[in-house]
Amino acid sequence: MILTRDIGIDLGTENTLICDRKGRVILREPSVVAVDVKSRRVLATGGNAKMMIGRTPGSIVAIKPLNEGVIADFDMTADMLHDFIYRSSKRSFFTKTRVVISVPSGVTEVERRAVEDATRSAGAQDVELIEEPMAAALGVGLPVNEAKGSMIVDIGGGTCDVAVISLGGVAARKSIRVAGNALDEEIINYMKKTHNLLIGAITAEEIKLNIGSAAPYEGEGAMGVRGRNLTDGLPKAVEVTSAQIREVLSAPVSEIIGAIRETLEVTLPELAADIIEKGIYITGGTSLLRGLPELIEKETNIAVHTTDIPLDAVAIGAAAKLRKARTR
Protein backbone atom coordinates (compact mmCIF):
# COMPACT_ATOMS: atom_id res chain seq x y z
CA MET A 1 0.00 0.00 0.00
CA ILE A 2 1.43 3.37 -1.05
CA LEU A 3 1.08 6.03 1.62
CA THR A 4 0.30 9.50 0.34
CA ARG A 5 -0.09 12.86 1.98
CA ASP A 6 -1.88 15.80 0.38
CA ILE A 7 -1.35 19.33 1.70
CA GLY A 8 -2.12 22.88 0.60
CA ILE A 9 0.46 25.55 1.40
CA ASP A 10 0.15 29.32 1.54
CA LEU A 11 3.78 30.39 1.21
CA GLY A 12 3.52 33.98 2.36
CA THR A 13 6.07 36.73 2.84
CA GLU A 14 5.11 37.03 6.50
CA ASN A 15 3.48 33.70 7.38
CA THR A 16 3.30 30.18 6.00
CA LEU A 17 0.17 28.09 6.50
CA ILE A 18 -0.32 24.40 5.77
CA CYS A 19 -3.75 22.77 5.36
CA ASP A 20 -4.57 19.10 5.23
CA ARG A 21 -6.73 17.54 2.54
CA LYS A 22 -9.91 18.44 4.44
CA GLY A 23 -9.01 22.12 4.58
CA ARG A 24 -7.98 22.18 8.24
CA VAL A 25 -5.03 24.43 9.12
CA ILE A 26 -2.40 22.13 10.66
CA LEU A 27 0.52 24.57 10.78
CA ARG A 28 0.74 28.35 11.01
CA GLU A 29 4.21 29.85 11.38
CA PRO A 30 6.03 33.10 10.54
CA SER A 31 8.14 32.80 7.37
CA VAL A 32 11.41 33.36 9.24
CA VAL A 33 14.64 31.37 9.51
CA ALA A 34 17.45 31.81 12.05
CA VAL A 35 20.83 30.87 10.59
CA ASP A 36 24.39 30.49 11.85
CA VAL A 37 26.35 33.00 9.78
CA LYS A 38 29.52 30.93 9.46
CA SER A 39 28.12 27.47 8.78
CA ARG A 40 24.81 28.57 7.18
CA ARG A 41 23.17 25.96 9.41
CA VAL A 42 19.50 26.55 10.20
CA LEU A 43 19.05 26.96 13.94
CA ALA A 44 15.32 27.72 14.12
CA THR A 45 12.32 28.37 11.91
CA GLY A 46 8.93 29.98 12.31
CA GLY A 47 7.93 31.55 15.62
CA ASN A 48 11.14 30.58 17.39
CA ALA A 49 13.17 32.31 14.66
CA LYS A 50 10.95 35.42 14.61
CA MET A 51 11.60 35.96 18.31
CA MET A 52 15.28 36.37 17.42
CA ILE A 53 14.79 39.21 14.92
CA GLY A 54 16.78 42.21 16.14
CA ARG A 55 17.96 40.29 19.20
CA THR A 56 20.64 37.94 17.86
CA PRO A 57 24.42 38.02 18.42
CA GLY A 58 26.69 38.64 15.46
CA SER A 59 27.09 34.93 14.75
CA ILE A 60 23.34 34.40 14.19
CA VAL A 61 21.01 36.16 11.78
CA ALA A 62 17.22 35.87 11.58
CA ILE A 63 16.04 36.38 8.01
CA LYS A 64 12.86 36.31 5.98
CA PRO A 65 13.69 34.16 2.94
CA LEU A 66 10.78 35.61 0.95
CA ASN A 67 10.49 39.21 -0.15
CA GLU A 68 7.42 40.79 -1.74
CA GLY A 69 5.87 37.39 -2.30
CA VAL A 70 8.84 35.78 -4.07
CA ILE A 71 11.83 33.73 -2.97
CA ALA A 72 14.83 35.84 -2.03
CA ASP A 73 16.94 32.98 -0.63
CA PHE A 74 16.31 29.62 -2.29
CA ASP A 75 18.20 27.40 0.16
CA MET A 76 16.67 29.01 3.23
CA THR A 77 13.17 28.74 1.76
CA ALA A 78 13.69 25.05 0.98
CA ASP A 79 15.02 24.40 4.50
CA MET A 80 12.11 26.30 6.05
CA LEU A 81 9.52 24.43 3.97
CA HIS A 82 11.17 21.09 4.76
CA ASP A 83 10.94 21.81 8.48
CA PHE A 84 7.33 23.02 8.25
CA ILE A 85 6.20 20.00 6.21
CA TYR A 86 7.99 17.63 8.61
CA ARG A 87 6.48 19.33 11.68
CA SER A 88 2.97 19.24 10.23
CA SER A 89 3.12 15.49 9.60
CA LYS A 90 1.38 13.15 12.01
CA ARG A 91 3.10 10.17 10.46
CA SER A 92 6.65 9.06 11.07
CA PHE A 93 6.94 8.02 7.44
CA PHE A 94 5.05 8.63 4.21
CA THR A 95 5.98 7.60 0.71
CA LYS A 96 4.63 10.45 -1.34
CA THR A 97 3.74 14.06 -0.59
CA ARG A 98 1.47 15.97 -2.95
CA VAL A 99 1.42 19.73 -2.59
CA VAL A 100 -0.60 22.61 -4.00
CA ILE A 101 1.27 25.81 -3.14
CA SER A 102 0.31 29.43 -3.74
CA VAL A 103 2.21 32.10 -5.68
CA PRO A 104 1.32 35.77 -6.31
CA SER A 105 -0.41 36.31 -9.64
CA GLY A 106 2.27 38.72 -10.86
CA VAL A 107 5.31 36.46 -10.52
CA THR A 108 7.54 35.64 -13.48
CA GLU A 109 8.08 32.15 -14.87
CA VAL A 110 11.51 32.07 -13.21
CA GLU A 111 9.96 32.95 -9.85
CA ARG A 112 7.26 30.30 -10.30
CA ARG A 113 9.93 27.70 -11.06
CA ALA A 114 11.88 28.73 -7.96
CA VAL A 115 8.83 28.06 -5.76
CA GLU A 116 8.25 24.67 -7.39
CA ASP A 117 11.91 23.68 -7.09
CA ALA A 118 12.09 24.79 -3.46
CA THR A 119 8.98 22.75 -2.63
CA ARG A 120 10.45 19.67 -4.28
CA SER A 121 13.73 20.24 -2.43
CA ALA A 122 11.67 20.31 0.79
CA GLY A 123 10.52 16.74 0.12
CA ALA A 124 7.40 17.02 -2.05
CA GLN A 125 7.17 14.63 -5.00
CA ASP A 126 4.14 16.14 -6.76
CA VAL A 127 3.85 19.95 -6.85
CA GLU A 128 1.16 22.15 -8.38
CA LEU A 129 1.13 25.94 -8.23
CA ILE A 130 -2.00 28.03 -7.75
CA GLU A 131 -2.25 31.80 -7.99
CA GLU A 132 -3.13 33.43 -4.69
CA PRO A 133 -6.33 35.19 -5.79
CA MET A 134 -7.72 31.93 -7.25
CA ALA A 135 -6.80 30.10 -4.03
CA ALA A 136 -8.39 32.84 -1.92
CA ALA A 137 -11.58 32.70 -4.02
CA LEU A 138 -11.78 28.92 -3.56
CA GLY A 139 -11.05 29.34 0.15
CA VAL A 140 -13.99 31.68 0.75
CA GLY A 141 -16.32 29.60 -1.40
CA LEU A 142 -16.83 31.85 -4.42
CA PRO A 143 -18.41 30.15 -7.49
CA VAL A 144 -15.23 30.34 -9.56
CA ASN A 145 -16.37 27.77 -12.14
CA GLU A 146 -19.64 29.49 -13.01
CA ALA A 147 -20.16 31.87 -15.93
CA LYS A 148 -20.37 34.80 -13.54
CA GLY A 149 -17.76 37.28 -12.45
CA SER A 150 -16.33 37.17 -8.93
CA MET A 151 -13.82 39.76 -7.70
CA ILE A 152 -11.30 38.84 -5.04
CA VAL A 153 -8.65 41.07 -3.47
CA ASP A 154 -5.98 39.25 -1.45
CA ILE A 155 -3.82 41.67 0.54
CA GLY A 156 -1.02 39.88 2.33
CA GLY A 157 2.36 40.89 3.66
CA GLY A 158 4.29 41.27 0.41
CA THR A 159 1.72 41.60 -2.38
CA CYS A 160 -1.78 42.76 -3.16
CA ASP A 161 -3.42 40.50 -5.74
CA VAL A 162 -6.64 41.60 -7.44
CA ALA A 163 -8.51 39.29 -9.80
CA VAL A 164 -11.83 38.88 -11.56
CA ILE A 165 -12.59 35.19 -11.92
CA SER A 166 -15.08 33.47 -14.22
CA LEU A 167 -15.42 29.93 -15.63
CA GLY A 168 -12.44 28.70 -13.62
CA GLY A 169 -10.04 31.28 -15.04
CA VAL A 170 -8.82 34.79 -14.39
CA ALA A 171 -10.52 37.32 -16.65
CA ALA A 172 -8.68 40.38 -15.31
CA ARG A 173 -5.86 40.75 -12.82
CA LYS A 174 -3.50 43.20 -11.18
CA SER A 175 -0.69 42.40 -8.77
CA ILE A 176 1.34 45.03 -6.93
CA ARG A 177 4.11 44.57 -4.40
CA VAL A 178 2.47 46.92 -1.96
CA ALA A 179 0.85 45.34 1.10
CA GLY A 180 1.44 44.88 4.83
CA ASN A 181 5.23 45.20 4.69
CA ALA A 182 4.94 48.44 2.72
CA LEU A 183 2.72 49.84 5.48
CA ASP A 184 5.35 48.89 8.07
CA GLU A 185 8.10 50.53 6.00
CA GLU A 186 6.11 53.77 5.82
CA ILE A 187 5.83 53.79 9.61
CA ILE A 188 9.58 53.13 10.04
CA ASN A 189 10.44 55.97 7.64
CA TYR A 190 8.01 58.32 9.36
CA MET A 191 9.56 57.66 12.78
CA LYS A 192 13.01 58.35 11.32
CA LYS A 193 12.12 61.58 9.55
CA THR A 194 9.67 63.09 12.02
CA HIS A 195 10.90 61.85 15.38
CA ASN A 196 14.53 60.98 14.60
CA LEU A 197 13.75 57.58 16.08
CA LEU A 198 14.96 54.24 14.73
CA ILE A 199 12.51 51.36 15.22
CA GLY A 200 12.40 47.82 13.89
CA ALA A 201 9.85 46.01 11.75
CA ILE A 202 8.25 44.30 14.76
CA THR A 203 7.62 47.65 16.48
CA ALA A 204 6.25 49.12 13.25
CA GLU A 205 3.84 46.20 12.96
CA GLU A 206 2.71 46.74 16.56
CA ILE A 207 1.95 50.39 15.79
CA LYS A 208 -0.02 49.37 12.70
CA LEU A 209 -2.04 46.78 14.61
CA ASN A 210 -2.69 48.97 17.66
CA ILE A 211 -3.59 52.33 16.11
CA GLY A 212 -3.23 51.97 12.33
CA SER A 213 -6.22 52.65 10.08
CA ALA A 214 -7.28 53.57 6.55
CA ALA A 215 -10.14 55.79 7.76
CA PRO A 216 -11.20 57.48 11.01
CA TYR A 217 -12.59 55.06 13.58
CA GLU A 218 -14.29 55.21 16.95
CA GLY A 219 -12.00 55.11 19.95
CA GLU A 220 -8.92 56.57 18.27
CA GLY A 221 -6.00 57.16 20.59
CA ALA A 222 -2.23 57.24 20.88
CA MET A 223 0.58 54.93 21.92
CA GLY A 224 4.09 55.28 23.20
CA VAL A 225 6.88 54.09 20.89
CA ARG A 226 10.39 53.24 22.05
CA GLY A 227 13.47 53.01 19.88
CA ARG A 228 16.96 54.43 19.40
CA ASN A 229 17.61 58.14 19.06
CA LEU A 230 19.46 58.68 15.78
CA THR A 231 21.18 61.78 17.17
CA ASP A 232 22.93 60.41 20.26
CA GLY A 233 22.28 56.65 19.94
CA LEU A 234 20.48 56.47 23.28
CA PRO A 235 17.05 54.91 23.92
CA LYS A 236 14.17 57.30 23.33
CA ALA A 237 10.37 57.23 23.66
CA VAL A 238 7.80 59.29 21.76
CA GLU A 239 4.02 59.26 21.38
CA VAL A 240 2.17 58.90 18.08
CA THR A 241 -1.55 59.23 17.39
CA SER A 242 -4.02 57.31 15.26
CA ALA A 243 -4.47 60.33 12.96
CA GLN A 244 -0.72 60.61 12.37
CA ILE A 245 -0.35 56.94 11.47
CA ARG A 246 -3.41 57.08 9.20
CA GLU A 247 -1.77 59.91 7.26
CA VAL A 248 1.45 57.89 7.04
CA LEU A 249 -0.41 54.89 5.61
CA SER A 250 -2.44 56.88 3.11
CA ALA A 251 0.04 56.50 0.22
CA PRO A 252 0.28 52.67 0.16
CA VAL A 253 -3.45 52.38 0.89
CA SER A 254 -4.11 54.58 -2.15
CA GLU A 255 -1.94 52.28 -4.28
CA ILE A 256 -3.99 49.27 -3.17
CA ILE A 257 -7.25 51.03 -4.03
CA GLY A 258 -5.72 52.14 -7.32
CA ALA A 259 -4.98 48.51 -8.23
CA ILE A 260 -8.60 47.60 -7.56
CA ARG A 261 -9.87 50.47 -9.70
CA GLU A 262 -7.49 49.60 -12.56
CA THR A 263 -8.72 46.00 -12.54
CA LEU A 264 -12.34 47.13 -12.64
CA GLU A 265 -11.58 49.44 -15.56
CA VAL A 266 -10.41 46.55 -17.77
CA THR A 267 -13.13 44.11 -16.71
CA LEU A 268 -15.65 43.08 -19.38
CA PRO A 269 -19.02 44.84 -18.98
CA GLU A 270 -20.97 41.63 -18.26
CA LEU A 271 -18.52 40.59 -15.57
CA ALA A 272 -18.53 44.11 -14.13
CA ALA A 273 -22.30 43.88 -13.80
CA ASP A 274 -21.89 40.64 -11.84
CA ILE A 275 -19.38 42.30 -9.51
CA ILE A 276 -21.73 45.24 -8.88
CA GLU A 277 -24.42 42.72 -7.92
CA LYS A 278 -22.22 40.42 -5.80
CA GLY A 279 -19.64 42.86 -4.45
CA ILE A 280 -15.88 42.65 -3.87
CA TYR A 281 -14.41 40.06 -1.49
CA ILE A 282 -11.21 40.87 0.39
CA THR A 283 -8.87 38.47 2.19
CA GLY A 284 -5.34 38.46 3.62
CA GLY A 285 -3.91 39.84 6.83
CA THR A 286 -3.80 43.44 5.63
CA SER A 287 -7.53 43.34 4.85
CA LEU A 288 -7.93 43.58 8.64
CA LEU A 289 -6.60 47.16 8.66
CA ARG A 290 -9.25 49.30 10.33
CA GLY A 291 -11.46 51.15 7.87
CA LEU A 292 -9.97 49.57 4.74
CA PRO A 293 -13.14 47.73 3.61
CA GLU A 294 -15.21 50.88 4.12
CA LEU A 295 -12.70 53.01 2.21
CA ILE A 296 -12.60 50.58 -0.73
CA GLU A 297 -16.40 50.58 -0.81
CA LYS A 298 -16.48 54.38 -0.79
CA GLU A 299 -13.90 54.68 -3.59
CA THR A 300 -15.46 52.04 -5.88
CA ASN A 301 -19.17 52.40 -5.05
CA ILE A 302 -19.30 48.60 -4.79
CA ALA A 303 -20.15 46.61 -1.67
CA VAL A 304 -17.12 45.05 0.01
CA HIS A 305 -17.37 41.74 1.85
CA THR A 306 -14.91 40.54 4.46
CA THR A 307 -14.54 36.94 5.58
CA ASP A 308 -14.20 35.08 8.86
CA ILE A 309 -10.99 33.44 7.60
CA PRO A 310 -8.95 36.27 6.02
CA LEU A 311 -5.62 34.76 7.08
CA ASP A 312 -6.51 31.18 6.15
CA ALA A 313 -8.35 31.60 2.84
CA VAL A 314 -5.38 30.99 0.51
CA ALA A 315 -4.22 27.84 2.31
CA ILE A 316 -7.77 26.47 2.48
CA GLY A 317 -8.22 27.23 -1.22
CA ALA A 318 -4.98 25.43 -2.07
CA ALA A 319 -6.26 22.36 -0.23
CA ALA A 320 -9.59 22.65 -2.07
CA LYS A 321 -7.71 22.65 -5.39
CA LEU A 322 -5.99 19.45 -4.32
CA ARG A 323 -9.31 17.78 -3.48
CA LYS A 324 -10.69 18.73 -6.90
CA ALA A 325 -7.64 17.21 -8.59
CA ARG A 326 -8.14 13.91 -6.73
CA THR A 327 -11.77 13.60 -7.79
CA ARG A 328 -11.04 13.87 -11.51
Side-chain angles (χ1 to χ4, degrees), residues 202-215:
I202 292 177
T203 300
E205 185 178 24
E206 289 175 356
I207 296 170
K208 178 182 66 181
L209 295 176
N210 288 333
I211 60 172
S213 68

Side-chain angles (χ1 to χ4, degrees), residues 36-111:
D36 184 283
V37 175
K38 293 182 179 179
S39 65
R40 295 285 288 175
R41 184 170 63 90
V42 173
L43 303 176
T45 63
N48 291 334
K50 186 174 182 178
M51 291 173 60
M52 300 180 185
I53 293 179
R55 297 183 172 92
T56 58
S59 60
I60 300 173
V61 60
I63 62 172
K64 295 180 179 180
L66 291 107
N67 182 40
E68 296 180 339
V70 298
I71 292 176
D73 189 314
F74 180 88
D75 292 335
M76 290 300 103
T77 301
D79 288 342
M80 180 183 75
L81 275 174
H82 183 275
D83 187 50
F84 287 168
I85 291 172
Y86 176 80
R87 285 161 55 186
S88 67
S89 174
K90 294 183 179 179
R91 301 191 184 109
S92 60
F93 173 81
F94 51 87
T95 303
K96 186 175 183 179
T97 301
R98 287 186 283 220
V99 173
V100 173
I101 187 166
S102 66
V103 292
S105 61
V107 297
T108 65
E109 192 59 39
V110 172
E111 291 165 341

Side-chain angles (χ1 to χ4, degrees), residues 228-309:
R228 177 159 59 85
N229 191 328
L230 288 170
T231 302
D232 57 21
L234 298 176
K236 176 183 176 181
V238 300
E239 187 175 81
V240 293
T241 67
S242 301
Q244 290 170 334
I245 299 303
R246 181 164 56 252
E247 178 64 25
V248 170
L249 300 181
S250 61
V253 166
S254 294
E255 289 191 58
I256 292 170
I257 294 174
I260 297 171
R261 293 174 66 97
E262 288 178 31
T263 307
L264 288 168
E265 288 169 2
V266 299
T267 299
L268 294 172
E270 290 80 5
L271 297 179
D274 294 335
I275 294 168
I276 292 172
E277 179 185 350
K278 295 166 58 178
I280 299 169
Y281 290 79
I282 62 172
T283 62
T286 306
S287 71
L288 297 172
L289 180 69
R290 295 177 189 85
L292 183 58
E294 292 80 6
L295 185 60
I296 294 173
E297 188 168 311
K298 177 183 176 182
E299 294 293 328
T300 61
N301 291 317
I302 300 174
V304 173
H305 305 292
T306 56
T307 171
D308 294 334
I309 53 165

